[in-house]
């Protein structure tokens, strides 16, 4: 921290030097540090690939459910894993924030459509999205209808609301869910998220 007690930003080089000097840490712990740093930097897909290749475990009931782990899991497309983790460890949160599981279902649906898995996407729509339309708030209802209309477009390049398909939509939803799970998120992760959103929005408007 600096003289005012504020948490200072750690550069990648400083972080690498810290990792290099952490001789007492075992391989799994070092890999976890690398994974979490990739998430901090906004490289969700890279982080997920590294997690798989390094053999890091998935979210488990013993994990602390930190914003970083939830955020990284969602960027890696592990929506069902996050949903199960929340059901096991955060029943009270789900009871008071019913939209969380719906947000996860939307993320899963969009991911399946983008992957061309229309049959599985249609099943998610039938079982989890359509039943929520009538009881949703007007803003969420409109979003649900827009998302569901994806099924009518085999050529996603012709979909009129491209903002629903871009990385910014995924990152914003993942950040929203991770903040609900950990109301006081890591300041560096939050800063990276804001920078990422700004860059994505700027690219989208250019």
């Amino acid at each position: 921290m600096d003289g005012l007690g504020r948490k200072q930003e750690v550069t990648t080089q400083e972080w690498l030097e810290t990792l290099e000097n952490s001789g007492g840490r075992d391989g799994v712990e070092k890999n976890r540090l690398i994974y979490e740093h990739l998430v901090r930097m906004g490289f969700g897909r890279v982080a997920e690939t590294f997690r798989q290749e390094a053999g890091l475990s998935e979210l488990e009931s013993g994990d602390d459910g930190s914003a970083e782990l939830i955020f990284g899991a969602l960027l890696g497309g592990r929506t069902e894993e996050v949903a199960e983790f929340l059901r096991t460890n955060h029943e009270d949160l789900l009871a008071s924030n019913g939209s969380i599981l719906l947000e996860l279902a939307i993320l899963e649906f969009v991911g399946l459509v983008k992957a061309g898995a229309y049959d599985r996407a249609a099943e998610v729509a039938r079982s989890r999205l359509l039943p929520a339309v009538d009881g949703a708030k007007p803003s969420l209802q409109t979003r649900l209808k827009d998302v569901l209309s994806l099924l009518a477009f085999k050529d996603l390049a012709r979909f009129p609301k491209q903002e629903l398909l871009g990385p910014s939509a995924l990152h914003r939803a993942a950040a929203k869910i991770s903040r609900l799970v950990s109301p006081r998120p890591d300041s560096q992760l939050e800063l990276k998220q804001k920078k990422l959103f700004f860059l994505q929005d700027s690219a989208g408007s250019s």
Side-chain angles (χ1 to χ4, degrees):
M1 293 189 178
D2 62 16
L4 298 177
R6 294 174 301 195
K7 193 172 184 178
Q8 292 180 309
E9 184 77 7
V10 178
T11 67
T12 299
Q13 183 60 40
E14 290 171 337
W15 177 85
L16 288 173
E17 290 174 358
T18 300
L19 185 65
E20 182 68 25
N21 295 329
S22 60
R25 301 179 186 271
D26 61 27
V28 173
E29 190 174 356
K30 284 187 177 181
N31 285 339
R32 174 69 73 179
L33 286 173
I34 293 171
Y35 167 76
E36 292 181 358
H37 184 69
L38 289 171
V39 172
R40 286 174 189 265
M41 299 300 291
F43 302 128
R45 298 293 181 183
V46 176
E48 175 60 13
T49 299
F50 176 80
R51 184 193 70 81
Q52 294 176 0
E53 293 183 351
L56 293 176
S57 63
E58 300 178 346
L59 281 170
E60 297 172 349
S61 59
D63 289 332
D64 63 3
S66 69
E68 281 185 12
L69 295 178
I70 296 292
F71 187 69
L74 292 175
L75 292 193
R78 293 148 55 203
T79 54
E80 277 300 308
E81 181 187 330
V82 172
E84 183 58 32
F85 174 79
L86 295 179
R87 292 188 191 100
T88 302
N89 298 276
H90 296 279
E91 290 184 6
D92 293 344
L93 178 64
L94 293 180
S96 60
N97 294 274
S99 64
I100 293 180
L101 291 180
L102 182 57
E103 290 284 354
L104 289 173
I106 291 173
L107 289 180
E108 182 179 1
F109 174 81
V110 172
L112 289 170
V113 170
K114 290 171 68 175
Y118 283 89
D119 288 343
R120 291 173 59 197
E123 178 55 35
V124 172
R126 282 191 297 268
S127 63
R128 295 156 64 190
L129 298 185
L130 284 172
V133 172
D134 290 339
K137 294 179 180 180
S139 58
L140 181 55
Q141 192 175 69
T142 298
R143 182 171 161 229
L144 277 169
K145 290 179 179 179
D146 288 340
V147 167
L148 287 167
S149 68
L150 277 167
L151 289 175
F153 291 85
K154 296 296 183 182
D155 181 3
L156 294 183
R158 301 180 63 183
F159 183 63
K161 294 186 175 293
Q162 288 293 312
E163 65 272 13
L164 296 177
L165 301 175
S168 181
L170 170 61
H171 290 157
R172 288 183 189 278
K176 176 182 177 181
I177 294 170
S178 65
R179 283 197 297 266
L180 285 172
V181 175
S182 298
R184 302 174 69 179
D186 181 279
S187 60
Q188 290 187 32
L189 176 63
E190 189 174 32
L191 179 61
K192 294 298 181 184
Q193 289 172 350
K194 289 179 179 178
K195 289 180 179 177
L196 194 61
F197 300 156
F198 174 77
L199 292 172
Q200 290 167 345
D201 289 343
S202 298
S205 60
S206 60

